[in-house]
Amino acid sequence: MKGGRWITETGSSTYLSEAVAIWFRDLRGEFRTRYAVNAILMFAVTTLIAVSFSIGSFRIGEGEQPFLYAVLLWIILVFSALSGLSRSFVKEEEASTMDVLKLSARPQAVFLGKLFFNLTLLAALELIIVPSFILLMDYKIELPGLFVAMVVSGGVGLGGGTTIVAAMIAQASARGALFSVLSFPLLLPLMITAIKGCEKAAVGTNNSGWPEVRIAVAYSVVMIVMSLFLFPLIWEE
Amino acid sequence: MYSLKVSNLCKQYTETYLFQDISFELHPGEVMAISGWNGSGKSTLLRVIAGLVRPTTGRVEMFFKGESIAREFRRRFVGMVAPAFSLYEELTALENLEFFCKVRGIGYDRESCLVIMEQIGLSESAGTLCRNYSSGMKQRLKLAQALLHKPPLLLLDEPGCNLDSKGMEVVENIIADQRRSGMSIIASNERREVDYGDRVINLSK
Amino acid sequence: MIAKVLVTVWMAIIIVAAFLYANAAVGFPGETSRILFFHVPQAWVATLSFLISMIGSCIYLARRNLKADNLALSAAELGLLFCLLATASGSIFAKAAWGSFWNWDPRETSIVILLMIYGAYFALRSAVGDPEKRRIFAAVYSILAFVTVPFLVFVVPRITASLHPEDTMNPARPGMDPKTLKVFLGSLLAYTGLFIWLLRLRLRLLNLEGMQEPEFGARENMDRVGEEQ
């Protein structure tokens, strides 16, 4: 065949470049179908409106606000994420493109590509929901730096902890419910940390070193590294 | 240079064996056909050889200059087409090929992809979304995807499904091309496709 | 057989000793402190089986040995059982001592997370049709869940805010009555023995089932293959 090349010259290709190819393909597909974004954002916006409508910004007393608002914010973020983060893998299975992907891409590259895609979705989710939540609920934050760091590191942890679960449930039955059931216990430590961090940021507790952010970062690193090790086992054959 | 060795392959579901004790060797220039009734395990045998399904017992080995190729590198040496496969519907044909080039780590090169599109007879609709393709056009594109990295081993599961007579010529050319340098295995019940094989394994007992 | 008799007799001795030999600790309403001899060993066994299940999962992934998966599965089953027992016995004590069945005390939080992990583990097992995939997925999930546990130690404050009695009830600290300590250690032994005996029984059963008949779920897989043809 004239157009083909022998594959022995693959030295220049890295896991990263292959992962980026998968990431961009998912983004392109997502841009054209808005499959996952619609699910996540509509879920998030609906919940946000429900919370804001039923509670409003005056119902909760000043003293209770930092804690309760942090809880509400993270419940919205975590459950919106759980409603849509499995889409990228589930869609591969539903459109029966998974086998071709298994035959052409290295598992670690697939994991990283899907992780990047999920992190992009989470970034979009947080960019829309967090500012709206602050505005609608009149959320006063004393330490914006800590707050932003907590939201970002919490988002990375959400993606890092759930991407491998998404790959598993895509190959199982009863996918939608199973994703939340499996992910939630894994996410609980992260969620409790993030709530505490956001509460401290709102109150303005002076705690040097941002322990909550550090726990969230450690959680993300551990989950991503473990997933990279374990992913080939659930992806191949 | 390359060779494939399949020894005592066996796949078992529940108490029934789908196929049992399949052994053969394949060398460059050879084409093998697998035939058998529906449900006799043709597709599964190809999936086992491709590494998508683990056999109950037995081994599939690929050799390059006599040395065994490790499992994780095998995907570089295998190209496969099957009715159960799909390409990405929300991408155009060319974007699909571009994606598979990049993900396989062979640098994407628009020109050579266009040449392949020409060979499979799709050059006019290279920019069309695959969603709008007919099933025959999709089948042609799947063939192109399997050939991108010029695999030494080509696994064709019902290569002619949904194809018109021109499409069948494309398949014929692909098999003739592959015969020059590599190995192919065709699973089919079509008289014409089975006849491409130098050897035939019949799975129906 | 001998193991069964030993465990039964020892367990009986411990139950009698727990109510008649050991003294009720001071500072607890009535006889409630005797929960120590049952609740704590149950919680210990629930945690131990979580660890064993994870080890079995690791061995399965490394060796693809069916028996290792059976070990992981049976440890998880017993873990769930003891988890429920510990939760129930703890709740009864909580009602008597603290006035409410459930308080979201840190220990209660961690046992709920453990329950959720076990629940998810079995939900995953029942949702995967292909037997080999089921074992691999379950093992991977069990390892992932185990990895998140250390974070709980940081996240859930252990001692400061806990309602759980520490000084008089923690054998590692000096305040414990020597008689209580003896019975408590004996009870730990009894529960661990009971757990090992049950585990071996379940394991033997699973291994026999694996040899005799094809696994549940293989059927669905067969159907799926049929479609592909």
Side-chain angles (χ1 to χ4, degrees), chain A residues 171 173 182 184 192-193 196 222, chain C residues 116 120 127 133 141 147 155:
Chain A
Q171 301 174 62
S173 53
L182 293 186
F184 194 65
I192 299 172
T193 313
K196 209 177 284 169
V222 167
Chain C
M116 277 168 44
K133 261 193 183 157
Y141 186 74
V147 166
V155 169

Side-chain angles (χ1 to χ4, degrees), chain A residues 13-23 105-106 109, chain B residues 102-105:
Chain A
S13 176
T14 60
Y15 283 112
L16 203 62
S17 68
E18 292 166 36
V20 168
I22 292 168
W23 179 26
R106 292 187 277 187
Chain B
K102 284 185 177 163
V103 101
R104 278 188 177 280

Side-chain angles (χ1 to χ4, degrees), chain A residues 1 3 5 7 10 13 18 22 25 28-29 32 91-92 95-97 99-100 102-105 236-237, chain B residues 47 52 54 71 75-76 84-86 88 90-91 95 99-100 103-107 112 119 149-150:
Chain A
M1 194 139 222
R5 284 130 300 199
I7 196 80
T10 48
S13 176
E18 292 166 36
I22 292 168
R25 195 221 67 79
R28 195 181 254 170
R32 288 181 189 165
K91 187 152 182 294
E92 299 273 359
S96 50
T97 48
D99 285 334
V100 188
K102 280 179 181 173
L103 279 178
S104 22
E236 293 194 312
E237 91 239 7
Chain B
R47 292 168 71 86
L52 283 172
R54 189 178 267 242
R71 253 190 76 83
R75 67 173 57 82
R76 296 184 186 175
F85 289 2
S86 289
Y88 294 99
E90 68 276 11
L91 300 187
E95 282 168 347
F99 170 68
F100 285 106
V103 101
R104 278 188 177 280
I106 43 177
S112 41
Q119 280 173 333
H149 52 297
K150 220 181 173 197

Side-chain angles (χ1 to χ4, degrees), chain A residues 51-52 55-62 65 69 134-140:
Chain A
V51 165
S52 165
I55 297 178
S57 48
F58 304 108
R59 195 64 74 76
I60 298 175
E62 283 282 316
Q65 274 186 10
Y69 281 5
I134 293 174
L135 287 178
L136 282 173
M137 306 296 285
D138 196 18
Y139 194 2
K140 294 177 197 67

